[in-house]
Amino acid sequence: AVAAAVFLLPALVTYVLATQNPAWGDALFVPSLSETVEDFLSRDVPVGQWYADSQSVIGADNLSGRIFTNNATIALGAFALGITWCLGTLYLLFSNGLMLGAFLGVFAHHDRLMDIFGMVAPHGVLEIFAIIVAGGAGLKIGWAVIAPGDLPRARAMVAAAREAVRLVAGVAVMLAVAA
């Protein structure tokens, strides 16, 4: 629940802000995402046709491969960075939530939200869920380091890691299905 809140609350806030002022997107996007958004918004394509049109420009395999690699990297990082007393995991979840909200908000501002949903929703819902679960697994390990309870810190971390690794195995399956 903590991982979901840390990801989704910033997404909601930046979505609302970016629908009102798309400059929030410029402030939060990495340069490669800014270029993709600008390309998307610059095309004079009827609503609902952008994805079909983009197949000939960027290729479905190239786009889905980039999206999968990005989301798998975020999920793995959210899990692995739990060892940083949760700080790395919290940062990854928070910053990616900010970016996602701004991304969707910019498209909503330009009345292109349905286009982006048509492209992202079929795989994105599962990938976002996988990132949140991986973040929760990372937080589980990090919390065992912070508050080991009655166990020695190392034993608490090993016990938490056993359960967290099972969660991440499920994340790997989710990401493979989404790809």
Side-chain angles (χ1 to χ4, degrees):
V2 171
V6 170
F7 185 89
L8 296 173
L9 290 176
L12 179 62
V13 169
T14 55
Y15 172 80
V16 170
L17 292 171
T19 57
Q20 302 302 312
N21 182 355
W24 279 96
D26 294 332
L28 295 169
F29 295 159
V30 294
S32 61
L33 183 57
S34 289
E35 292 169 12
T36 302
V37 169
E38 287 174 22
D39 173 54
F40 183 101
L41 294 172
S42 69
R43 291 195 206 162
D44 187 24
V45 178
V47 172
Q49 292 298 308
W50 186 86
Y51 184 68
D53 181 59
S54 69
Q55 299 300 309
S56 61
V57 177
I58 56 177
D61 293 341
N62 184 24
L63 180 62
S64 66
R66 285 180 14 210
I67 292 169
F68 171 78
T69 301
N70 179 65
N71 289 332
T73 302
I74 294 167
L76 182 60
F79 168 66
L81 289 173
I83 197 70
T84 63
W85 300 278
C86 300
L87 296 175
T89 298
L90 292 170
Y91 171 77
L92 266 180
L93 292 171
F94 183 82
S95 63
N96 280 280
L98 286 175
M99 189 277 311
L100 178 65
F103 182 74
L104 295 175
V106 167
F107 287 107
H109 177 83
H110 292 283
D111 295 323
R112 300 308 294 250
L113 188 58
M114 296 304 12
D115 279 326
I116 208 65
F117 272 156
M119 185 174 77
V120 173
H123 58 86
V125 171
L126 189 55
E127 289 170 334
I128 290 168
F129 182 67
I131 289 168
I132 290 169
V133 170
L139 292 175
K140 183 168 194 55
I141 292 171
W143 193 250
V145 173
I146 293 169
D150 295 335
L151 296 175
R153 207 171 298 283
R155 285 189 61 202
M157 189 176 77
V158 168
R162 282 191 186 114
E163 189 175 335
V165 166
R166 282 193 291 260
L167 290 171
V168 171
V171 165
V173 171
M174 285 187 270
L175 290 172
V177 168

